[in-house]
Short mmCIF file of all heavy atoms in Angstrom, two decimals:
data_model
loop_
_atom_site.label_atom_id
_atom_site.label_comp_id
_atom_site.label_asym_id
_atom_site.label_seq_id
_atom_site.Cartn_x
_atom_site.Cartn_y
_atom_site.Cartn_z
N VAL A 10 -12.93 10.11 -4.02
CA VAL A 10 -12.52 10.00 -5.42
C VAL A 10 -13.29 11.04 -6.23
O VAL A 10 -14.51 10.97 -6.34
CB VAL A 10 -12.78 8.58 -5.98
CG1 VAL A 10 -12.40 8.52 -7.46
CG2 VAL A 10 -12.00 7.55 -5.19
N GLY A 11 -12.57 12.01 -6.77
CA GLY A 11 -13.19 13.09 -7.54
C GLY A 11 -13.21 14.38 -6.74
O GLY A 11 -13.77 14.43 -5.64
N GLY A 12 -12.58 15.40 -7.28
CA GLY A 12 -12.56 16.71 -6.62
C GLY A 12 -13.42 17.71 -7.37
O GLY A 12 -13.07 18.88 -7.51
N GLY A 13 -14.56 17.24 -7.88
CA GLY A 13 -15.54 18.15 -8.49
C GLY A 13 -16.40 18.76 -7.39
O GLY A 13 -16.04 18.74 -6.20
N THR A 14 -17.54 19.28 -7.78
CA THR A 14 -18.42 19.96 -6.81
C THR A 14 -18.82 19.03 -5.67
O THR A 14 -18.78 19.40 -4.50
CB THR A 14 -19.66 20.49 -7.54
OG1 THR A 14 -19.21 21.40 -8.55
CG2 THR A 14 -20.60 21.22 -6.60
N GLY A 15 -19.18 17.78 -6.00
CA GLY A 15 -19.61 16.83 -4.98
C GLY A 15 -18.48 16.45 -4.04
O GLY A 15 -18.63 16.51 -2.81
N GLY A 16 -17.34 16.06 -4.61
CA GLY A 16 -16.22 15.60 -3.79
C GLY A 16 -15.68 16.68 -2.88
O GLY A 16 -15.41 16.45 -1.69
N ILE A 35 -8.75 12.45 -4.29
CA ILE A 35 -8.01 12.02 -5.49
C ILE A 35 -8.66 12.67 -6.71
O ILE A 35 -9.83 12.41 -7.01
CB ILE A 35 -8.02 10.48 -5.64
CG1 ILE A 35 -7.47 9.83 -4.36
CG2 ILE A 35 -7.19 10.06 -6.85
CD1 ILE A 35 -7.53 8.31 -4.37
N GLU A 36 -7.94 13.55 -7.36
CA GLU A 36 -8.49 14.32 -8.49
C GLU A 36 -7.35 14.63 -9.47
O GLU A 36 -6.37 15.28 -9.08
CB GLU A 36 -9.12 15.63 -7.97
CG GLU A 36 -9.44 16.67 -9.03
CD GLU A 36 -10.44 16.19 -10.08
OE1 GLU A 36 -11.55 15.79 -9.71
OE2 GLU A 36 -10.09 16.21 -11.28
N PRO A 37 -7.46 14.20 -10.73
CA PRO A 37 -6.34 14.43 -11.66
C PRO A 37 -6.25 15.85 -12.21
O PRO A 37 -5.17 16.31 -12.58
CB PRO A 37 -6.63 13.45 -12.81
CG PRO A 37 -8.11 13.20 -12.75
CD PRO A 37 -8.51 13.36 -11.32
N SER A 38 -7.39 16.56 -12.27
CA SER A 38 -7.40 17.84 -12.99
C SER A 38 -6.87 18.99 -12.12
O SER A 38 -7.24 19.13 -10.96
CB SER A 38 -8.84 18.17 -13.42
OG SER A 38 -8.89 19.46 -13.99
N TYR A 42 -14.05 22.96 -12.61
CA TYR A 42 -15.05 23.64 -13.44
C TYR A 42 -16.39 23.67 -12.73
O TYR A 42 -16.91 22.61 -12.34
CB TYR A 42 -15.20 22.92 -14.79
CG TYR A 42 -13.92 22.94 -15.60
CD1 TYR A 42 -13.07 21.84 -15.62
CD2 TYR A 42 -13.55 24.09 -16.29
CE1 TYR A 42 -11.88 21.88 -16.33
CE2 TYR A 42 -12.36 24.14 -17.01
CZ TYR A 42 -11.54 23.03 -17.02
OH TYR A 42 -10.36 23.07 -17.72
N GLN A 44 -19.73 23.69 -13.38
CA GLN A 44 -20.49 23.40 -14.59
C GLN A 44 -21.84 24.12 -14.69
O GLN A 44 -22.27 24.45 -15.81
CB GLN A 44 -20.67 21.88 -14.73
CG GLN A 44 -19.34 21.14 -14.85
CD GLN A 44 -19.48 19.64 -14.66
OE1 GLN A 44 -20.38 19.00 -15.20
NE2 GLN A 44 -18.58 19.06 -13.88
N PRO A 45 -22.55 24.36 -13.56
CA PRO A 45 -23.82 25.08 -13.71
C PRO A 45 -23.69 26.42 -14.44
O PRO A 45 -24.63 26.87 -15.09
CB PRO A 45 -24.27 25.28 -12.25
CG PRO A 45 -23.71 24.08 -11.54
CD PRO A 45 -22.36 23.87 -12.19
N TRP A 47 -22.10 26.98 -17.06
CA TRP A 47 -22.05 26.81 -18.51
C TRP A 47 -23.40 27.14 -19.16
O TRP A 47 -23.45 27.50 -20.34
CB TRP A 47 -21.61 25.38 -18.87
CG TRP A 47 -20.19 25.10 -18.43
CD1 TRP A 47 -19.26 26.01 -18.00
CD2 TRP A 47 -19.54 23.82 -18.36
NE1 TRP A 47 -18.09 25.38 -17.67
CE2 TRP A 47 -18.22 24.04 -17.88
CE3 TRP A 47 -19.94 22.52 -18.65
CZ2 TRP A 47 -17.32 23.00 -17.69
CZ3 TRP A 47 -19.03 21.48 -18.47
CH2 TRP A 47 -17.74 21.72 -18.00
N THR A 48 -24.49 27.01 -18.39
CA THR A 48 -25.80 27.42 -18.93
C THR A 48 -25.77 28.91 -19.26
O THR A 48 -26.24 29.34 -20.32
CB THR A 48 -26.92 27.13 -17.91
OG1 THR A 48 -27.03 25.71 -17.74
CG2 THR A 48 -28.26 27.69 -18.37
N ALA A 77 -4.08 12.61 -9.12
CA ALA A 77 -3.93 11.36 -9.88
C ALA A 77 -5.31 10.85 -10.27
O ALA A 77 -6.33 11.34 -9.78
CB ALA A 77 -3.21 10.31 -9.02
N GLU A 78 -5.30 9.87 -11.15
CA GLU A 78 -6.55 9.28 -11.64
C GLU A 78 -6.72 7.89 -11.05
O GLU A 78 -5.77 7.10 -11.04
CB GLU A 78 -6.48 9.20 -13.16
CG GLU A 78 -7.74 8.72 -13.83
CD GLU A 78 -7.54 8.56 -15.33
OE1 GLU A 78 -6.57 9.15 -15.87
OE2 GLU A 78 -8.31 7.83 -15.94
N VAL A 79 -7.91 7.59 -10.57
CA VAL A 79 -8.20 6.23 -10.08
C VAL A 79 -8.48 5.34 -11.29
O VAL A 79 -9.27 5.70 -12.17
CB VAL A 79 -9.41 6.24 -9.13
CG1 VAL A 79 -9.86 4.81 -8.81
CG2 VAL A 79 -9.07 6.99 -7.85
N SER A 80 -7.82 4.20 -11.34
CA SER A 80 -8.05 3.29 -12.47
C SER A 80 -8.88 2.08 -12.05
O SER A 80 -9.51 1.44 -12.88
CB SER A 80 -6.72 2.83 -13.07
OG SER A 80 -5.94 2.21 -12.08
N ALA A 105 -17.08 10.19 -5.94
CA ALA A 105 -17.71 11.37 -6.56
C ALA A 105 -17.02 11.69 -7.89
O ALA A 105 -16.58 12.82 -8.12
CB ALA A 105 -17.63 12.56 -5.61
N PRO A 106 -16.92 10.69 -8.79
CA PRO A 106 -16.20 10.94 -10.05
C PRO A 106 -17.10 11.46 -11.17
O PRO A 106 -16.66 11.54 -12.32
CB PRO A 106 -15.66 9.55 -10.41
CG PRO A 106 -16.70 8.62 -9.89
CD PRO A 106 -17.32 9.27 -8.68
N GLY A 107 -18.34 11.83 -10.85
CA GLY A 107 -19.22 12.40 -11.87
C GLY A 107 -19.69 11.38 -12.90
O GLY A 107 -19.64 10.17 -12.66
N LEU A 108 -20.16 11.88 -14.03
CA LEU A 108 -20.66 11.03 -15.10
C LEU A 108 -19.79 11.21 -16.34
O LEU A 108 -19.20 12.27 -16.55
CB LEU A 108 -22.11 11.41 -15.45
CG LEU A 108 -23.18 11.02 -14.42
CD1 LEU A 108 -24.51 11.70 -14.75
CD2 LEU A 108 -23.36 9.51 -14.36
N ASN A 130 -23.99 22.77 -24.28
CA ASN A 130 -23.44 23.40 -23.07
C ASN A 130 -22.68 22.41 -22.21
O ASN A 130 -22.14 22.78 -21.17
CB ASN A 130 -24.57 23.98 -22.21
CG ASN A 130 -24.96 25.37 -22.66
OD1 ASN A 130 -24.28 25.97 -23.48
ND2 ASN A 130 -26.05 25.87 -22.12
N TYR A 131 -22.64 21.14 -22.61
CA TYR A 131 -22.12 20.11 -21.71
C TYR A 131 -20.61 19.92 -21.73
O TYR A 131 -20.12 18.89 -21.26
CB TYR A 131 -22.87 18.78 -21.95
CG TYR A 131 -24.11 18.73 -21.09
CD1 TYR A 131 -25.23 19.49 -21.42
CD2 TYR A 131 -24.15 17.99 -19.92
CE1 TYR A 131 -26.35 19.50 -20.60
CE2 TYR A 131 -25.26 17.99 -19.10
CZ TYR A 131 -26.35 18.75 -19.44
OH TYR A 131 -27.45 18.76 -18.62
N LYS A 161 -26.50 14.75 -15.54
CA LYS A 161 -26.17 15.79 -14.57
C LYS A 161 -27.00 17.01 -14.92
O LYS A 161 -26.90 17.55 -16.01
CB LYS A 161 -24.68 16.10 -14.51
CG LYS A 161 -23.92 16.23 -15.78
CD LYS A 161 -22.47 16.54 -15.43
CE LYS A 161 -21.52 16.16 -16.52
NZ LYS A 161 -20.13 16.34 -16.09
N CYS A 162 -27.82 17.38 -13.98
CA CYS A 162 -28.77 18.48 -14.10
C CYS A 162 -29.85 18.22 -15.14
O CYS A 162 -29.70 18.54 -16.32
CB CYS A 162 -28.09 19.81 -14.39
SG CYS A 162 -29.22 21.17 -14.05
N ALA A 165 -30.83 21.46 -17.05
CA ALA A 165 -29.96 22.19 -17.97
C ALA A 165 -30.41 22.12 -19.44
O ALA A 165 -30.33 23.13 -20.15
CB ALA A 165 -28.51 21.71 -17.83
N LYS A 168 -33.08 24.75 -19.53
CA LYS A 168 -32.73 26.14 -19.20
C LYS A 168 -32.14 26.88 -20.39
O LYS A 168 -32.46 28.03 -20.64
CB LYS A 168 -31.76 26.16 -18.00
CG LYS A 168 -32.48 25.87 -16.69
CD LYS A 168 -31.55 26.00 -15.51
CE LYS A 168 -30.67 24.80 -15.36
NZ LYS A 168 -29.81 24.84 -14.17
N PRO A 260 -18.63 6.45 -14.89
CA PRO A 260 -17.27 6.22 -15.39
C PRO A 260 -16.98 4.73 -15.47
O PRO A 260 -17.46 3.94 -14.65
CB PRO A 260 -16.39 6.89 -14.33
CG PRO A 260 -17.27 7.89 -13.66
CD PRO A 260 -18.66 7.30 -13.71
N PHE A 262 -14.43 2.89 -14.76
CA PHE A 262 -13.81 2.18 -13.63
C PHE A 262 -14.83 1.88 -12.53
O PHE A 262 -14.65 0.96 -11.74
CB PHE A 262 -12.60 2.97 -13.08
CG PHE A 262 -12.95 4.15 -12.21
CD1 PHE A 262 -13.01 4.02 -10.83
CD2 PHE A 262 -13.21 5.39 -12.76
CE1 PHE A 262 -13.33 5.10 -10.01
CE2 PHE A 262 -13.54 6.48 -11.97
CZ PHE A 262 -13.60 6.33 -10.59
C1 FAD B 301 -24.52 22.64 -18.43
C2 FAD B 301 -24.73 22.20 -17.02
C3 FAD B 301 -25.59 22.92 -16.19
C4 FAD B 301 -25.80 22.51 -14.88
N1 FAD B 301 -26.64 23.25 -14.09
C5 FAD B 301 -26.84 22.89 -12.81
C6 FAD B 301 -27.66 23.65 -11.93
O1 FAD B 301 -28.17 24.69 -12.31
N2 FAD B 301 -27.84 23.22 -10.66
C7 FAD B 301 -27.25 22.06 -10.21
O2 FAD B 301 -27.45 21.69 -9.04
N3 FAD B 301 -26.47 21.32 -11.01
C8 FAD B 301 -26.24 21.71 -12.28
N4 FAD B 301 -25.43 20.96 -13.09
C9 FAD B 301 -24.93 19.69 -12.58
C10 FAD B 301 -23.71 19.84 -11.71
O3 FAD B 301 -22.68 20.51 -12.38
C11 FAD B 301 -23.28 18.43 -11.34
O4 FAD B 301 -24.36 17.79 -10.70
C12 FAD B 301 -22.10 18.45 -10.43
O5 FAD B 301 -20.98 19.00 -11.08
C13 FAD B 301 -21.82 17.03 -9.99
O6 FAD B 301 -20.73 17.06 -9.13
P1 FAD B 301 -19.79 15.81 -9.04
O7 FAD B 301 -18.71 16.21 -8.10
O8 FAD B 301 -20.59 14.59 -8.76
O9 FAD B 301 -19.22 15.63 -10.53
P2 FAD B 301 -18.27 16.60 -11.32
O10 FAD B 301 -18.47 18.01 -10.90
O11 FAD B 301 -18.45 16.25 -12.75
O12 FAD B 301 -16.82 16.19 -10.84
C14 FAD B 301 -16.32 14.90 -11.02
C15 FAD B 301 -14.83 14.98 -10.78
O13 FAD B 301 -14.32 13.65 -10.75
C16 FAD B 301 -13.08 13.65 -11.43
N5 FAD B 301 -12.82 12.29 -11.92
C17 FAD B 301 -13.39 11.66 -12.96
N6 FAD B 301 -12.84 10.44 -13.13
C18 FAD B 301 -11.93 10.31 -12.15
C19 FAD B 301 -11.03 9.26 -11.80
N7 FAD B 301 -10.94 8.13 -12.52
N8 FAD B 301 -10.21 9.44 -10.73
C20 FAD B 301 -10.27 10.59 -9.99
N9 FAD B 301 -11.10 11.62 -10.29
C21 FAD B 301 -11.92 11.47 -11.36
C22 FAD B 301 -13.26 14.65 -12.56
O14 FAD B 301 -12.00 15.14 -13.03
C23 FAD B 301 -14.10 15.72 -11.90
O15 FAD B 301 -13.32 16.76 -11.35
C24 FAD B 301 -25.16 21.35 -14.39
C25 FAD B 301 -24.28 20.63 -15.22
C26 FAD B 301 -24.06 21.05 -16.52
C27 FAD B 301 -23.10 20.27 -17.39
#
Side-chain angles (χ1 to χ4, degrees):
V10 178
T14 301
I35 305 176
E36 166 61 57
S38 174
Y42 297 100
Q44 298 166 45
W47 295 348
T48 294
E78 185 185 341
V79 170
S80 57
L108 288 168
N130 275 350
Y131 272 74
K161 43 180 157 186
C162 197
K168 285 185 282 184
F262 77 94

